Amino acid sequence: MKIPANSTQSKKPAPKVGFVSLGCPKALVDSERILTQLRTEGYQITPKYDGADVVVVNTCGFIDSAKAESLEAIGEALAENGKVIVTGCMGVDESAIRDVHPSVLAVTGPQQYEQVVRAVHDAAPPKTTHDPYIDLVPPQGIKLTPRHYAYLKISEGCNHRCSFCIIPSMRGDLVSRPVGDVLSEAERLVKAGVKELLVISQDTSAYGVDVKYRSGFWNGRPVKTRMSELCAALSELGVWTRLHYVYPYPHVDEVIPLMAQGKILPYLDIPFQHASPKVLKAMKRPAFEDKTLARIQRWRQECPDLTLRSTFIVGFPGETEEDFQYLLDWMSEAQLDRVGCFQYSPVQGAPANALDGAVPDEVKQERWERFMEHQQQISAARLQTRIGREIDVLIDEATDEGIVGRSSADAPEIDGNVYVKSQRPVSPGSLIRVRVTDADEYDLYGDAI
C-alpha cells in the first residue's frame, strides 16, 4: 500500500496514522493487526503522508532488493512527513536502518505489535475519550485486501534452517495459533462477506507440531491443532479455502480427499525450490524425497482438478549445468501448473553465503530465461486443456473496461486471471459459472453462463 503525497487536510480531533505495508502476505496480516488495534483506540488511518501525525512503515528484509525497497520507502516517508516508525522483518537489524535513516522515531521487529502501538502513542498520543459510535472497528478487524478475500495466518516462525533463508532469525521458531482462535477469526471473516480464505504461514504443513497437535475448541467441540483437521473445519464455512506454503510431508496426503470432495480448493502451493538432490542438500531443504513425482501422480489420480504451484531458485551456489538440466527434466515430469522462479541472491546472515561455487550473474540470468521459457510451454499446454470446460470464477474486478476474476487454480496477485464476458451485471466478490473459450500462457478467457 503506497501513500502518495497530497495536500494537507484540516486537523481532526483523532490523531491520524499513515501506513506503508511491504513484503509478503504474512507481513500484510501483521499490518492488519496493528491497524486494527490503532483503530480500536480511536486513531484515524489516512492514505496521505502530510495528513498523518505519524507514519508506520512495515518493512521486508528477506533479500537485498526487498531491503533496498524498504529503505527507499522509509526515506520517502521521512521526506514527506518527518515522523516515521519502522517495524517488520528488516527491523531486526536496527543499525542497518539507522545508519541510513538516523531520524526514525522507533524501530521494532516483526510481530512486535505492542511495541509499535506504544511508539505510536509516544509520537501521537491517543484521544483521552473514545466514542464507540464514531470509532467503529468491524468484527473481522481492519483488512488491507478486497472485501471478498482475506489471508488467514495460522502460525508464526519456522523450525527449518534452509541455508538461503534468514526468516527464523527474524521471526523465530514455529508458534502455532490456537486452533479455536484461527477458526473463530475465519468465521468472523466469512460473516463479514469474505468468499475466499487464503491460509498462510511459513510452513502450513507443520501447524500444531510445536504443541504436539493438542486439541482446542471451536463452537463447543474439540478440534486438533493440525492441518488436516483445520482444513476439515474450515470447509464447513462454505467459502473457498486455499492452502499456501505447504511442505510435502506425508500427512499432506490427508487433505487431498477434502479437495477431491470439493470441501477445500484443489490447490497446493508447495515451495520445492529445486529438484537436484545435490542442490537440495546444499539448501538444507526439508521433506524432500525421491518419490515426490510419484506422490504428485497419486494426488492427481485422486483429485484430477488439483492445481500445483511452486517456486524455484536457479543459480544457487554449486549449481552445475547438470543440476539445472535435472531441474528442467523434473519440471517436464511434474507438469506443475503455476511456477515462480528467482535467481539466487545472497542474503546477509544466510549460511549459503559461505558455500563454494558461486554462479556468475550472467549464467543465473541465462538459466532463469531458459527455466521460464520451459515452464511457459508447460503452463500454456495445461491451460489449453481447460478450453470448453465450465468453471467457477470469483470476480475481483468489474468495470467498464472488463470483468476479471480467478478460478480455483489462481491465487490473487501471484497466479493467472480469468477474463470474462457477461451479458448481465457482475459485481466484485460474485462467484459465477464461466465457460472457457480461450487460453494463453497464463490466463483464461470465457463467457459467463
Side-chain angles (χ1 to χ4, degrees):
M1 184 173 70
K2 189 173 173 89
I3 304 178
N6 212 319
S7 58
T8 304
Q9 295 180 342
S10 58
K11 187 172 178 62
K12 295 181 180 179
K16 296 179 181 179
V17 179
F19 214 99
V20 179
S21 186
L22 304 172
C24 65
K26 294 176 283 295
L28 187 73
V29 173
D30 292 345
S31 295
E32 291 172 342
R33 181 168 177 177
I34 295 168
L35 288 172
T36 297
Q37 181 59 40
L38 292 174
R39 195 72 186 88
T40 300
E41 296 180 2
Y43 284 90
Q44 297 295 311
I45 310 303
T46 176
K48 302 172 183 177
Y49 280 128
D50 56 4
D53 295 285
V54 64
V55 175
V56 178
V57 180
N58 190 2
T59 60
C60 178
F62 184 52
I63 57 177
D64 289 346
S65 59
K67 292 179 181 179
E69 182 184 9
S70 295
L71 290 172
E72 182 180 357
I74 295 166
E76 181 179 323
L78 284 168
E80 297 289 343
N81 181 277
K83 297 174 70 175
V84 177
I85 294 165
V86 178
T87 187
C89 287
M90 195 175 176
V92 298
D93 187 1
E94 182 172 352
S95 62
I97 294 170
R98 292 198 179 275
D99 286 348
V100 181
H101 301 298
S103 61
V104 295
L105 300 179
V107 179
T108 68
Q111 308 162 46
Q112 296 180 341
Y113 315 114
E114 296 83 0
Q115 292 93 320
V116 176
V117 173
R118 282 200 298 269
V120 171
H121 289 172
D122 292 341
K127 292 190 301 183
T128 55
T129 58
H130 178 62
D131 187 344
Y133 293 101
I134 297 175
D135 303 324
L136 294 176
V137 178
Q140 74 275 15
I142 304 299
K143 292 295 171 186
L144 299 178
T145 52
R147 183 173 181 266
H148 59 279
Y149 69 82
Y151 293 102
L152 183 67
K153 185 156 66 169
I154 63 173
S155 65
E156 298 282 4
C158 183
N159 287 344
H160 304 305
R161 295 298 183 265
C162 302
S163 62
F164 56 82
C165 182
I166 58 172
I167 291 295
S169 67
M170 294 189 291
R171 292 185 170 265
D173 288 337
L174 175 74
V175 178
S176 299
R177 289 182 62 197
V179 67
D181 291 356
V182 173
L183 290 169
S184 294
E185 180 183 349
E187 198 168 29
R188 290 193 300 272
L189 289 168
V190 171
K191 287 179 179 178
V194 166
K195 303 291 182 62
E196 178 181 13
L197 296 169
L198 299 111
V199 177
I200 58 168
S201 65
Q202 289 300 137
D203 180 359
T204 295
S205 311
Y207 180 62
V209 166
D210 56 313
V211 294
K212 299 181 180 178
Y213 306 119
R214 70 179 173 218
S215 292
F217 289 88
W218 177 54
N219 290 340
R221 76 171 202 255
V223 180
K224 279 192 174 182
T225 309
R226 195 165 181 264
M227 183 179 71
S228 52
E229 282 82 352
L230 173 66
C231 289
L234 289 172
S235 73
E236 299 175 19
L237 298 178
V239 298
W240 282 9
T241 298
R242 188 182 301 277
L243 301 182
H244 285 283
Y245 316 122
V246 177
Y247 285 83
Y249 302 142
H251 67 261
V252 172
D253 296 352
E254 298 172 15
V255 303
I256 304 300
L258 294 175
M259 295 178 177
Q261 296 162 23
K263 293 185 175 180
I264 62 174
L265 290 186
Y267 180 101
L268 280 176
D269 179 354
I270 301 179
F272 289 115
Q273 305 296 13
H274 213 281
S276 163
K278 188 192 79 177
V279 175
L280 287 165
K281 183 177 181 180
M283 288 180 169
K284 296 186 176 179
R285 292 295 290 165
F288 180 83
E289 54 183 275
D290 293 338
K291 297 179 181 179
T292 299
L293 289 173
R295 290 183 71 199
I296 290 174
Q297 186 176 19
R298 288 200 307 273
W299 292 342
R300 284 184 167 145
Q301 287 173 346
E302 190 169 356
C303 182
D305 289 332
L306 177 65
T307 294
L308 292 174
R309 131 164 284 281
S310 190
T311 51
F312 293 84
I313 297 173
V314 296
F316 191 79
E319 182 192 61
T320 63
E321 179 60 28
E322 182 181 7
D323 294 320
F324 180 69
Q325 188 59 52
Y326 187 105
L327 172 59
L328 295 184
D329 293 342
W330 189 91
M331 296 292 292
S332 295
E333 289 286 334
Q335 291 287 298
L336 303 182
D337 301 89
R338 302 295 195 188
V339 172
C341 182
F342 302 91
Q343 297 178 42
Y344 172 74
S345 174
V347 179
Q348 185 176 358
N353 297 342
L355 294 176
D356 295 329
V359 178
D361 288 344
E362 60 271 19
V363 175
K364 292 180 189 177
Q365 179 67 25
E366 185 265 344
R367 288 178 183 170
W368 180 84
E369 291 174 358
R370 285 164 59 196
F371 180 97
M372 294 305 296
E373 182 180 359
H374 187 82
Q375 174 56 31
Q376 190 177 71
Q377 295 173 6
I378 294 172
S379 175
R382 292 190 67 79
L383 289 179
Q384 286 293 316
T385 65
R386 305 185 74 180
I387 295 175
R389 293 181 56 184
E390 293 182 8
I391 61 174
D392 290 325
V393 175
L394 183 63
I395 302 302
D396 287 332
E397 300 176 22
T399 67
D400 293 340
E401 297 179 357
I403 301 170
V404 184
R406 293 177 290 106
S407 72
S408 64
D410 307 305
E413 300 186 1
I414 59 173
D415 292 329
N417 292 311
V418 182
Y419 295 90
V420 181
K421 292 181 181 179
S422 176
Q423 299 300 315
R424 62 183 185 276
V426 176
S427 59
S430 301
L431 188 63
I432 66 173
R433 197 73 174 165
V434 172
R435 181 178 291 107
V436 180
T437 58
D438 200 2
D440 57 26
E441 292 86 355
Y442 303 110
D443 303 315
L444 297 176
Y445 304 82
D447 297 327
I449 299 174

